[in-house]
């Protein structure tokens, strides 16, 4: 047996490869007929399967069925169509090698120069809530085999896995063929495509085989595709890019309606703003600066424009810090809210939708970035954070959708039970505290923050900062703390400022000292039994 071939001339990439024959089999038929028209117009033979072939033929373009190539009809409910030497020989033949050309001629196999394949909608099927065999049937076998074969043989074959690549392929057809650089880039996308697909399948199986529903997967693979290269990262000397995950429904999938290119920090702050605004059930707005809230509020009672009301109340918390902030709204941005923002410098506004009249107002602020969330936006179920050499995985910190369930296990340890309105205000403060970097203290009145203390290395300093920000508004407010008070001094700062109620997790060895300080001042205090650190 001959040893390995090391002659580099055997593996030199062909430069321009004319396209004479294309294999087309797609689940996503977006712009399929645009591509088919270009192929047919250039006299390229189209070989296809099943519904793809029917779509092309019904549009009036000539198409050769795969069964006519292989001599074998589709079988096993379409599970076996393309797994045949007449197909894969044409995909894998390296036409730089005379021996490969000779074998193709002997076996009467024609090569392909273009393969257009995207895979069964496995991710979409899982997302729809399907289970069992309905999901299993969306595990593509022949598709990945064709994609990987064509990508491996990119010296001879261009592999396309997304309609987004059709315009470039059509241009290449008009120019006389695909270039080596283009085929190499397409191959890289193809391998990333199949890797992401396999990851989704493996994850589905892993979740279905856990013996304990509370278990986390033993193996975790995260696949993402670069959406855009950013001007720079967190700082100008750092590179930056944003990637999207298959099946993602978050800030990375938002549509930018206007404004300058999003920056790395814009995305970080926009995500933090969503975290704050979407914890609230009522119309709410969060204003974020450096990943921390400088104001969170829900609408005032009986407001004519609830979302505009929520924005004004959030802005009033800290108008100085709101300058150059990032805003998230959990409802449609209205004309009134847009008019209120006319003279306020804002970097980004993210919302599920915008009134047309609001968009007209924003056109005057050409640098303002507007992001519209995908219709199926939802909070992530898991949090992932990279650390050196690995990553951390945890359940996302979430609140119950039912506002009444948030406080059902709270323990009243001091003072009298508040009224329904006061209780709602405490729940608001507790939710708002989750969006603040630890150590976190929030002062709130009427479901709007009036003072926020964040990111301090001791809790008493966060209390002082929140009180300082609130000023006279601290009197009569309620307070929340994301973790217990290790000493009574932090709670005493809040009590001395005039807060009427405090909600905190409890659990300190000095809880009794803290409770005693609240009792002496006649301040209501609840223990929640859970904390909400956000580092």
């Amino acid at each position: 047996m001959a040893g390995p071939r090391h002659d580099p001339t055997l593996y030199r990439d062909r430069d321009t490869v004319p396209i004479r024959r294309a294999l087309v089999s797609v689940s996503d038929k977006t712009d399929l007929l645009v591509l088919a028209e270009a192929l047919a117009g250039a006299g390229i033979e189209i070989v296809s399967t099943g519904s793809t072939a029917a779509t092309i033929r019904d549009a009036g373009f000539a198409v050769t069925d795969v069964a006519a190539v292989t001599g074998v009809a589709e079988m096993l409910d379409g599970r076996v169509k393309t797994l045949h030497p007449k197909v894969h020989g044409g995909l894998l033949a390296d036409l730089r090698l005379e021996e490969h050309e000779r074998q193709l001629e002997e076996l009467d196999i024609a090569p392909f120069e273009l393969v257009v394949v995207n895979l069964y909608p496995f991710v979409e099927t899982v997302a729809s809530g399907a289970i069992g065999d309905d999901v299993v049937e969306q595990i593509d076998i022949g598709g990945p085999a064709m994609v990987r074969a064509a990508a491996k043989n990119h010296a001879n074959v261009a592999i396309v896995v997304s309609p987004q690549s059709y315009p470039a392929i059509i241009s290449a057809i008009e120019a006389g063929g695909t270039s080596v650089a283009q085929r190499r880039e397409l191959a890289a996308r193809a391998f990333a495509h199949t890797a992401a697909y396999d990851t989704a399948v493996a994850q589905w199986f892993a979740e279905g085989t856990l013996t304990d529903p509370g278990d986390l997967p033993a193996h975790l693979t995260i696949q993402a595709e670069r959406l855009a290269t950013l001007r720079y990262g967190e700082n100008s000397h750092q590179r930056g890019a944003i990637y999207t995950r298959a099946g993602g429904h978050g800030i990375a999938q938002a549509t930018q309606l206007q404004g300058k290119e999003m920056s790395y920090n814009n995305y970080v702050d926009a995500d933090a703003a969503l975290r704050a605004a979407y914890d609230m059930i009522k119309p709410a707005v969060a204003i974020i600066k450096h990943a921390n809230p400088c104001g969170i509020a829900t609408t005032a009672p009986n407001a004519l424009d609830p979302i505009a009301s929520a924005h004004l109340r959030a802005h009033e918390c800290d108008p100085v810090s709101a300058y150059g902030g990032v805003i998230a709204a959990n409802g449609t941005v209205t004309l009134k809210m847009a008019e209120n923002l006319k003279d306020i410098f804002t970097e980004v506004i993210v919302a599920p939708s915008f009134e047309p009249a609001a968009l007209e107002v924003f056109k005057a602020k050409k640098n303002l970035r507007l992001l519209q969330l995908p219709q199926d936006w939802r909070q992530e179920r898991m949090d992932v954070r990279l650390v050196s050499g690995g990553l951390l995985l945890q359940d996302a910190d979430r609140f119950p959708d039912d506002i009444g369930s948030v406080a059902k296990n709270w323990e009243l340890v001091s003072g009298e039970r508040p009224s329904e309105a006061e209780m709602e205000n405490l729940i608001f403060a507790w939710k708002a505290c989750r969006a603040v970097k630890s150590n976190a203290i929030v002062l709130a009145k009427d479901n709007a923050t009036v003072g926020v203390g964040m990111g301090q290395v001791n809790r008493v300093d966060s209390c002082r900062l929140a009180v300082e920000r609130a000023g006279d508004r601290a009197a009569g407010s309620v307070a929340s703390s994301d973790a217990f008070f290790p000493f009574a001094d932090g709670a005493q700062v809040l009590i001395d400022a005039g807060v009427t109620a405090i909600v905190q997790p409890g659990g300190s060895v000095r809880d009794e000292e803290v409770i005693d300080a609240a009792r002496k001042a006649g301040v209501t205090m609840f223990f929640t039994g859970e904390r909400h650190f956000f580092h």
Side-chain angles (χ1 to χ4, degrees):
M1 180 179 295
R5 297 172 296 175
H6 297 294
D7 183 353
T9 61
L10 294 173
Y11 293 94
R12 281 190 190 135
D13 291 317
R14 299 164 67 193
D15 190 7
T16 300
V17 174
I19 301 173
R20 301 181 179 88
R21 194 167 185 244
L23 177 59
V24 184
S25 180
V26 293
S27 294
D28 180 358
K29 293 179 173 56
T30 303
D31 292 334
L32 170 62
L33 296 182
V34 175
L35 178 64
E37 182 178 13
L39 295 172
I44 297 168
E45 181 188 3
I46 303 174
V47 179
S48 190
T49 64
S51 62
T52 304
T55 300
I56 296 172
R57 186 176 290 114
D58 290 346
F61 301 114
V63 61
T64 302
D65 288 312
V66 164
V69 173
T70 63
V72 180
E74 294 182 11
M75 64 180 71
L76 306 179
D77 297 320
R79 286 189 172 194
V80 179
K81 297 188 287 281
T82 58
L83 297 172
H84 192 281
K86 289 272 188 172
V87 173
H88 283 271
L91 296 177
L92 286 166
D94 187 348
L95 299 183
R96 299 169 300 177
L97 305 176
E98 291 183 4
E99 177 61 18
H100 282 205
E101 285 190 293
R102 184 188 63 77
Q103 289 184 48
L104 287 188
E105 187 174 352
E106 286 183 355
L107 297 169
D108 191 27
I109 296 175
F112 293 100
E113 294 82 26
L114 174 65
V115 176
V116 183
V117 172
N118 52 60
L119 310 180
Y120 294 170
F122 179 86
V123 172
E124 294 79 3
T125 302
V126 172
S128 73
I131 58 174
D133 287 346
D134 290 338
V135 176
V136 171
E137 285 306 312
Q138 296 304 320
I139 299 175
D140 205 334
I141 302 300
M146 290 187 288
V147 170
R148 290 176 61 83
K152 174 178 179 176
N153 197 25
H154 63 274
N156 302 276
V157 183
I159 171 63
V160 173
V161 295
S162 169
Q164 294 178 350
S165 298
Y166 292 176
I169 286 296
I170 292 172
S171 296
I173 292 170
E174 295 170 350
T178 58
S179 69
V180 60
Q182 183 179 25
R183 295 192 303 275
R184 191 180 294 275
E185 181 182 351
L186 290 170
R189 294 181 188 177
F191 280 120
H193 184 63
T194 57
Y197 191 85
D198 287 343
T199 296
V201 174
Q203 185 172 331
W204 181 78
F205 272 102
E207 291 175 353
T209 56
L210 295 176
T211 55
D212 181 349
D215 284 349
L216 295 176
H219 305 281
L220 182 66
T221 304
I222 299 174
Q223 291 287 338
E225 181 176 349
R226 190 178 69 199
L227 176 65
T229 299
L230 306 176
R231 289 173 57 199
Y232 48 80
E234 199 163 9
N235 300 290
S236 59
H237 62 279
Q238 296 170 270
R239 294 183 299 169
I242 181 168
Y243 291 75
T244 61
R245 293 186 295 102
H249 304 274
I251 195 68
Q253 285 73 37
T255 301
Q256 185 167 352
L257 303 180
Q258 75 160 52
K260 294 194 299 185
E261 173 190 345
M262 288 283 288
S263 72
Y264 181 98
N265 293 330
N266 289 155
Y267 277 114
V268 171
D269 285 344
D271 204 43
L274 287 178
R275 175 186 175 98
Y278 276 77
D279 273 340
M280 307 302 169
I281 295 173
K282 291 182 176 180
V285 167
I287 306 172
I288 298 293
K289 196 78 169 288
H290 301 299
N292 261 309
C294 46
I296 306 172
T298 61
T299 182
N302 304 315
L304 296 178
D305 190 321
I307 208 70
S309 166
H311 167 253
L312 285 178
R313 301 177 81 231
H315 183 80
E316 288 169 357
C317 177
D318 188 353
V320 173
S321 298
Y323 179 86
V326 170
I327 296 175
N330 68 357
T332 300
V333 173
T334 61
L335 171 61
K336 177 61 177 172
M337 179 174 167
E339 290 175 338
N340 291 341
L341 279 160
K342 272 185 178 179
D343 299 322
I344 301 173
F345 172 50
T346 301
E347 291 276 4
V348 183
I349 303 174
V350 55
S353 56
F354 296 79
E355 287 184 353
L359 293 176
E360 286 299 316
V361 171
F362 288 138
K363 281 182 180 179
K365 301 168 76 72
K366 296 186 183 301
N367 291 334
L368 172 63
R369 304 160 178 89
L370 300 182
L371 294 186
Q372 183 167 311
L373 293 170
Q375 289 185 351
D376 56 353
W377 183 86
R378 57 179 177 267
Q379 290 184 313
E380 296 286 356
R381 193 168 54 87
M382 304 298 294
D383 281 339
V384 180
R385 181 175 296 187
L386 293 178
V387 294
S388 53
L391 55 81
L392 297 170
L393 178 70
Q394 65 174 353
D395 293 321
D397 189 9
R398 302 279 293 276
F399 290 108
D401 292 334
D402 174 20
I403 189 170
S405 299
V406 175
K408 69 177 183 179
N409 294 321
W410 289 8
E411 178 187 1
L412 180 64
V413 296
S414 172
E416 297 181 358
R417 180 167 290 278
S419 67
E420 185 176 338
E422 291 169 328
M423 198 67 190
E424 183 180 336
N425 194 30
L426 272 171
I427 292 172
F428 167 84
W430 182 237
K431 284 186 168 185
C433 203
R434 187 188 77 96
V436 179
K437 293 296 184 83
S438 300
N439 289 315
I441 298 291
V442 167
L443 304 186
K445 274 186 178 178
D446 300 323
N447 299 322
T449 57
V450 295
V452 183
M454 77 289 280
Q456 304 304 302
V457 292
N458 67 72
R459 193 156 300 276
V460 70
D461 279 349
S462 286
C463 292
R464 291 179 181 132
L465 181 58
V467 167
E468 179 185 349
R469 292 274 177 84
D472 293 341
R473 296 172 298 176
S477 67
V478 302
S480 62
S481 174
D482 64 344
F484 63 65
F485 291 93
F487 301 93
D489 52 0
Q492 193 63 53
V493 169
L494 303 178
I495 291 168
D496 291 345
V499 301
T500 60
I502 300 173
V503 57
Q504 59 130 325
S508 167
V509 295
R510 294 182 176 85
D511 273 347
E512 286 303 319
E513 296 176 21
V514 179
I515 294 170
D516 187 55
R519 285 174 177 164
K520 287 180 180 178
V523 168
T524 295
M525 181 174 287
F526 282 97
F527 282 1
T528 67
E530 68 177 16
R531 72 182 186 200
H532 288 289
F533 274 156
F534 178 35
H535 290 100

